[in-house]
Amino acid sequence: SAVISQKPSRDICQRGTSLTIQCQVDSQVTMMFWYRQQPGQSLTLIATANQGSEATYESGFVIDKFPISRPNLTFSTLTVSNMSPEDSSIYLCSGRDREMNGYTFGSGTRLTVV
Amino acid sequence: AQKVTQAQTEISVVEKEDVTLDCVYETRDTTYYLFWYKQPPSGELVFLIRRNSFDEQNEISGRYSWNFQKSTSSFNFTITASQVVDSAVYFCALDSGYSTLTFGKGTMLLVSP
């Protein structure tokens, strides 16, 4: 099955700044996704990252706050912009794995905004 | 609409006890996939099992077993002879063919020595 490398694994950021999270897949995945997991909560889908075009955002998430890029089939980035303490969460990327016909996840980025 | 309910927020057991984590799902689709993931304190999501809607056979993998019952829309997960390393949050998830996962709220399992 695909392996997704995600970095950074954790960061502490000042409010008002931006952080870019990267995910690299070791093989092709058909689709890539970005999730947010607020403390003690379940995973919420932010957006589907589309190769070479704009991401598809879920209700409540906007491109200005969470710009996403996916320049090729194996790489994607999520930027958390103009951060506030409410953005403190774990952010996870995921890929739909053709081989296992399921979903593989990166190791997550634990973000704390102070 | 898709929905996954994990009614148990937190379960505490003593090592070597058996424990069952419940998962009930809702979907109008006839073809769908169910998943279980484990999230240890480190935060990564570890894939445990995938089951499609046409395969109701129960599955056993070591100390783990899964009971899929379409009649009750349930996909329960049992850990036999639990160990401290099993302590984690466990998520049940549903994919109804829309290529996105709907997650339950998760069940935190605490296994004490």
Side-chain angles (χ1 to χ4, degrees):
Chain A
S1 59
V3 174
I4 301 180
S5 300
Q6 181 173 344
K7 57 181 183 182
S9 58
R10 59 177 61 234
D11 208 340
I12 301 174
C13 301
Q14 296 291 323
R15 69 171 67 205
T17 62
S18 298
L19 175 71
T20 296
I21 302 167
Q22 299 181 1
C23 277
Q24 178 76 52
V25 191
D26 69 345
S27 60
Q28 291 185 1
V29 294
T30 54
M31 303 176 76
M32 290 186 74
F33 309 91
W34 287 95
Y35 289 85
R36 180 177 73 182
Q37 185 181 22
Q38 294 177 301
Q41 302 297 313
S42 186
L43 283 76
T44 300
L45 181 64
I46 297 172
T48 301
N50 302 310
Q51 184 203 357
S53 64
E54 199 168 284
T56 305
Y57 289 84
E58 297 299 304
S59 175
F61 298 96
V62 295
I63 187 171
D64 290 346
K65 176 67 176 177
F66 298 102
I68 289 170
S69 77
R70 188 179 177 194
N72 56 55
L73 287 173
T74 61
F75 186 77
S76 180
T77 66
L78 167 76
T79 299
V80 186
S81 304
N82 188 24
M83 289 183 286
S84 66
E86 292 70 35
D87 294 319
S88 297
S89 297
I90 297 175
Y91 292 86
L92 296 111
C93 63
S94 173
R96 186 173 177 87
D97 188 326
R98 274 186 288 204
E99 183 180 321
M100 79 174 205
N101 201 10
Y103 299 84
T104 300
F105 285 80
S107 53
T109 297
R110 193 179 296 268
L111 171 63
T112 302
V113 183
V114 298
Chain B
Q2 285 67 240
K3 184 178 179 182
V4 176
T5 302
Q6 294 179 256
Q8 304 149 309
T9 304
E10 184 174 320
I11 300 175
S12 293
V13 299
V14 178
E15 215 170 11
K16 297 184 182 177
E17 284 186 23
D18 299 346
V19 57
T20 296
L21 283 62
D22 298 333
C23 173
V24 175
Y25 62 92
E26 294 177 29
T27 179
R28 293 180 180 177
D29 297 286
T30 55
T31 301
Y32 52 87
Y33 301 88
L34 294 162
F35 300 82
W36 276 95
Y37 287 90
K38 173 182 180 180
Q39 187 177 44
S42 51
E44 75 272 23
L45 224 56
V46 179
F47 167 80
L48 295 178
I49 190 171
R50 167 186 169 273
R51 172 69 71 226
N52 75 55
S53 54
F54 298 108
D55 182 1
E56 288 196 68
Q57 279 193 333
N58 292 330
E59 180 154 341
I60 299 174
S61 176
R63 296 184 297 108
Y64 296 170
S65 62
W66 291 268
N67 183 353
F68 177 32
Q69 294 203 350
K70 287 180 74 171
S71 60
T72 56
S73 297
S74 65
F75 187 42
N76 297 336
F77 173 32
T78 297
I79 301 174
T80 302
S82 59
Q83 300 176 1
V84 172
V85 294
D86 295 327
S87 296
V89 179
Y90 291 85
F91 290 98
C92 181
L94 168 69
D95 174 5
S96 285
Y98 298 101
S99 293
T100 58
L101 284 175
T102 299
F103 283 88
K105 291 187 181 296
T107 298
M108 178 178 288
L109 174 64
L110 299 172
V111 182
S112 55

